[in-house]
C-alpha cells in the first residue's frame, strides 16, 4: 500500500514598490495535492494574509516549511500539510 504524500502549496508574492508598507499580494501559486477549502484565496492579486489565514487554520493544517525574500518587495513561501 502506498503512503499518502503531503499536500504542498507554493506562493509567490510581491508588494507595490510605489506604496511604502503596502500589503503583500499573491502573484502566482501552485498546489500539489489538495488545498481545499482555501483554493479561492490563492488567486493572483489576492492578499497573502487572507490565504495564509485560511491555510494555517487549525482545521486545515498547513505549516510554512520554507520562506525566502527574493528582494525587498517580493518572495515566496512553501507550505506543507501531512
Amino acid at each position: 500500500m502506498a503512503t499518502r504524500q503531503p499536500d504542498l502549496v507554493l506562493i509567490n508574492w510581491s508588494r507595490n514598490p510605489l506604496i511604502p508598507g503596502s500589503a503583500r499580494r499573491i502573484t502566482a501559486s501552485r498546489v500539489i495535492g489538495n488545498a481545499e477549502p482555501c483554493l479561492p484565496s490563492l488567486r493572483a492579486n489576492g492578499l497573502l494574509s487572507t490565504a495564509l489565514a485560511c491555510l494555517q487554520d487549525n482545521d486545515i493544517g498547513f505549516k510554512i516549511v520554507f520562506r525566502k525574500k527574493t528582494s525587498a518587495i517580493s518572495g515566496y513561501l512553501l507550505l506543507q500539510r501531512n
Side-chain angles (χ1 to χ4, degrees):
M1 185 172 195
T3 59
R4 179 166 154 68
Q5 297 298 312
D7 296 321
L8 299 171
V9 177
L10 178 65
I11 302 174
N12 293 346
W13 61 267
S14 69
R15 295 180 193 258
N16 184 337
L18 302 176
I19 303 173
S22 63
R24 295 180 292 175
R25 295 209 172 258
I26 297 171
T27 56
S29 64
R30 174 76 175 168
V31 176
I32 300 172
N34 186 6
E36 286 295 338
C38 298
L39 281 178
S41 66
L42 294 172
R43 71 186 188 288
N45 207 33
L47 289 173
L48 179 61
S49 59
T50 303
L52 289 178
C54 181
L55 291 165
Q56 293 181 305
D57 183 89
N58 287 337
D59 294 336
I60 309 302
F62 278 90
K63 304 277 189 248
I64 297 173
V65 294
F66 187 78
R67 69 175 73 209
K68 175 78 174 167
K69 283 187 85 171
T70 53
S71 73
I73 59 162
S74 65
Y76 58 91
L77 299 167
L78 178 64
L79 295 97
Q80 177 179 335
R81 173 172 62 188
N82 288 327

